Amino acid sequence: MTNSFEIDGITVPFSNGQTIMDAALTAGIYIPHLCHNPEFKPHGSCRLCTVLINGRSVAACTTPAGEGIVVENETHELVTQRRLLLKLLFVEGNHTCPGCEKSGACQLQAVAYHCGMLAPEFVHFYPKRSIDASHPDTIIDFNRCILCELCVRASRDSDKKAVFNISGRGIQAHLTIDSPSGKLADSAFNSSDKAARVCPVGAILPKHKGYNIPIGQRLYDQAPISQVGDVAKHQEVADE
Amino acid sequence: MIEQRPVTIEQLETAAQPEKLRRIAIEPLTRVEGHGKVTLLLDDENRIQQARLHIVEFRGFEKFIQGRPYWELPVLVQRLCGICPVSHHLAAGKAIDQLVGVEQLTPTAEKVRRLMHYGQMLQSHALHFFHLSSPDLLFGFDSEISQRNIVGLINAHPDLAKQGVLLRKFGQEVIRVTAGKRIHGTCAIPGGVNKALDSSERDYLQQDIHQIITWGQGALELARKLFMEALETNQQFARIDTHMMSLCQDDGALELYHGGLRVTASDGSRMMDKIDYREYDQHIREEVKSWSYMKFPYLQHLGPEKGSYRVGPLARINNCDTIDTPLAEAGRIEFRSLNNQGLVQSTLAYHWARMIELLHCAEKIEQLLDDPDLLGTDLKLSGEMRQRGIGVIEAPRGTLIHDYEIDDDGLVSRANLIVSTTHNNRAMNESVRTVAADLFNGQEITEGMLNHIEVAIRAYDPCLSCATHALGKMPLVIELQQPDGQIVDRLIKDTQGELKR
Ligand code: SF4
Ligand code: FES
């Protein structure tokens, strides 16, 4: 007899040690998320995966599944709340989808569609951020970073390099690169690193390749993110 | 018989003693994407001495793309213009081919881009002729404003209006098939394209192409007929004599996508030919004038006074020796017979030339759809990176120049764009002056004068939203002003075409 719990009325089996997110992903139930990637230790920072257990808000990616718990996921309130979070993410950075090479294969854009965000609501901050194109193979556009720390975790835990870091707090928080000049070219980063393939948005990208995939064949052109899943899951294949 | 009054472009807009002149300003009330304003300066005898068409151009763009990765350019520059984004996409695409060291694309890549380009040209020309200009031409410049628009056209000539809509739609479908979307798609990438056509896409376009060619023939015949019906008036209206510049094939055939620069002098003699467009800055200079945001390009060896020229359909059809599609070539021969010795200089002949090109594009699309290369798989080449890339294309409104430099990291460090409307800047001013001078009664601004100025500007199909509004919807203010600033007359036309003083 396996353990199980409920998400929006659907019975979901789980094994000991699994989070609500793990169990949902295994069962093919989509809980919107940005800072989560099953390959890395959960971080619980974007709060997009917030669900309700007995009326209490928890992050699905960090909360262990429990026998018989009742989880609310796609309720009107939660979707509205997620939309608000997403709108804030859009105004904090410079996310101009029509010109962005990641458009159509961007997790932020795809989650926003999933949550029914069709237009911006708030005044954009238009922060002044730079581009680091110093590396021969990889470019970093800080304008699009959502501070999910996936590259930080991938570089530290998987590549054993700790090339990336987040510095500063609150609105000052930003991604930094560990090298004498602060430039990617002077760091230990290599384009074959795991950290090069985990960014859910268009912040870490291979150089010279933008728009190679025609509209209609991009990751989220055919099916929504709730069926396709994360960008990172497909990244390795795409790089072949 | 109309008096022969050849006006040269050199007589232009700089009056000898501007401080002594009274001013008439024509200014649109609403500003959507850019706006135009016409100032007319009068001398003491109340003659129109000077015309200045002020256009706000989005020059900030060259700054905006600085520091961006070069491979983003074809997509970013589409946002320069809501009217011909595909032309910017392809000009930037040609420039970045050079940045990655590719001189010649694969046959598939070049043909896919050409298909896209002909689709864009067809839809833009159809929009301009049927929606914006044919009401003026069919009903007369001074006809009821309420009738002189696309709605009036639909009521009076429903078949024609429908053809216009469907021609445009076909061009947009060509763009959609090649770019993935009707607007702001993707296609050109460094050294090639990101997709070819599959056979179902080809078949989809092929099923309509014969109809499109037939309608294109009809449109050309209509444009020809409208011009010939009032030949002498049309030949003189807003007429100026200028040099003409366009790309041309090496054998002198009409070329819209790629070729050498050719300039024919106003007297019909050949001034430049087969010039590698990457040397454009050795031949073309841009003059800045304090009263205009838009620069004034001129041929460097002639200087700013004598070196201005026209671009666009009129220049291209005049410049080429032949057209490599039979129906358009027949149209060209008839067009050029208007003036066998020199160039056809009539400003209103732009419309006729535009329809020769529309038909040519339809014929070209037909040829391409029969070409197996369009379905090929060889999409992209690469080479040695370079610091500078220059892409030039014949956009619907004329020669379009994109010039970029990148740094060692591949980020844009400098950009220079010369858009089609800018080349025609001086010519448009002079055409406006000619029309205004003909019609000004020395007293007040008349509705007829306002209408005719609009028609003259529109012949050039300038890329400013106020001029591309349906006629009668172009909101304008005309002011008659004395040197001391006192306004002695004002005529206002709102978006509904209502006139107020
Ligand atoms: S660069 Fe990408 S992966 Fe790294 S923190 Fe920013 S958004 Fe996350
Ligand atoms: S995915 Fe759970 S907090 Fe970001």
Side-chain angles (χ1 to χ4, degrees), chain A residues 140 144-152 164 166 175 195 198-201 203-204:
Chain A
I140 302 188
R144 303 177 188 141
C145 176
I146 56 168
L147 301 171
C148 71
E149 295 200 23
L150 275 167
C151 59
V152 177
F164 299 101
I166 305 287
L175 186 70
V198 293
C199 184
V201 295
I204 302 182

Side-chain angles (χ1 to χ4, degrees), chain B residues 369-399:
Chain B
L369 292 174
D370 280 335
D371 190 329
D373 282 343
L374 212 55
L375 312 188
T377 51
D378 221 355
L379 301 183
K380 194 181 162 182
L381 297 171
S382 59
E384 281 284 305
M385 289 294 295
R386 295 181 203 162
Q387 295 293 115
R388 189 174 179 192
I390 298 167
V392 177
I393 197 165
E394 283 295 331
R397 292 156 189 81
T399 316

Side-chain angles (χ1 to χ4, degrees), chain A residues 21 31-37 42-50 58-63 107 148 153:
Chain A
M21 180 70 81
I31 301 177
H33 57 273
L34 280 170
C35 73
H36 184 69
N37 176 328
H43 192 248
S45 62
C46 76
R47 307 315 281 186
L48 205 62
C49 69
T50 299
V58 298
C61 67
T62 53
T63 306
Q107 216 166 307
C148 71
R153 284 175 273 168

Side-chain angles (χ1 to χ4, degrees), chain B residues 228-437:
Chain B
M228 296 304 285
E229 267 171 10
L231 181 61
E232 289 197 359
T233 318
N234 287 340
Q235 276 191 312
Q236 288 314 314
F237 179 83
R239 177 187 171 139
I240 48 171
D241 284 12
T242 66
H243 315 312
M244 302 209 180
M245 183 178 86
S246 67
L247 295 178
C248 243
Q249 289 178 29
D250 280 354
D251 64 0
L254 177 70
E255 176 59 64
L256 301 175
Y257 177 77
H258 193 73
L261 282 171
R262 174 181 273 198
V263 179
T264 309
S266 56
D267 64 3
S269 63
R270 182 83 0 103
M271 210 184 258
M272 282 159 55
D273 203 11
K274 301 181 198 173
I275 303 287
D276 184 339
Y277 59 62
R278 288 174 292 190
E279 291 161 15
Y280 84 92
D281 56 356
Q282 292 170 31
H283 303 283
I284 298 169
R285 290 283 148 84
E286 288 181 281
E287 191 187 10
V288 178
K289 291 186 195 269
S290 58
W291 54 268
S292 177
Y293 294 99
M294 189 149 80
K295 291 182 188 168
F296 290 78
Y298 61 92
L299 297 167
Q300 113 101 9
H301 72 283
L302 294 177
E305 286 311 309
K306 298 201 178 313
S308 59
Y309 50 87
R310 286 194 276 187
V311 300
L314 185 68
R316 292 188 290 244
I317 300 300
N318 267 307
N319 254 351
C320 67
D321 306 325
T322 171
I323 297 179
D324 60 7
T325 58
L327 298 173
E329 170 63 0
R332 185 195 69 85
I333 290 169
E334 193 172 6
F335 176 88
R336 292 291 273 112
S337 70
L338 274 181
N339 184 354
N340 280 320
Q341 269 72 53
L343 300 176
V344 178
Q345 294 278 9
S346 319
T347 298
L348 284 178
Y350 259 106
H351 298 295
W352 183 351
R354 201 169 276 124
M355 289 307 99
I356 296 173
E357 290 188 343
L358 182 143
L359 182 56
H360 171 66
C361 289
E363 291 182 280
K364 277 292 197 191
I365 291 171
E366 182 189 40
Q367 285 176 6
L368 281 171
L369 292 174
D370 280 335
D371 190 329
D373 282 343
L374 212 55
L375 312 188
T377 51
D378 221 355
L379 301 183
K380 194 181 162 182
L381 297 171
S382 59
E384 281 284 305
M385 289 294 295
R386 295 181 203 162
Q387 295 293 115
R388 189 174 179 192
I390 298 167
V392 177
I393 197 165
E394 283 295 331
R397 292 156 189 81
T399 316
L400 172 64
I401 301 173
H402 281 219
D403 176 3
Y404 303 105
E405 272 172 50
I406 54 171
D407 63 18
D408 292 339
D409 293 340
L411 303 182
V412 176
S413 55
R414 192 191 63 86
N416 187 42
L417 312 181
I418 306 181
V419 304
S420 322
T421 301
T422 305
H423 296 290
N424 282 337
N425 196 359
R426 193 164 171 137
M428 286 191 292
N429 281 293
E430 185 51 20
S431 283
V432 167
R433 194 191 70 82
T434 309
V435 172

Side-chain angles (χ1 to χ4, degrees), chain B residues 461-473:
Chain B
D461 190 12
C463 204
L464 49 151
S465 60
C466 60
T468 51
H469 277 302
L471 193 87
K473 291 202 170 164

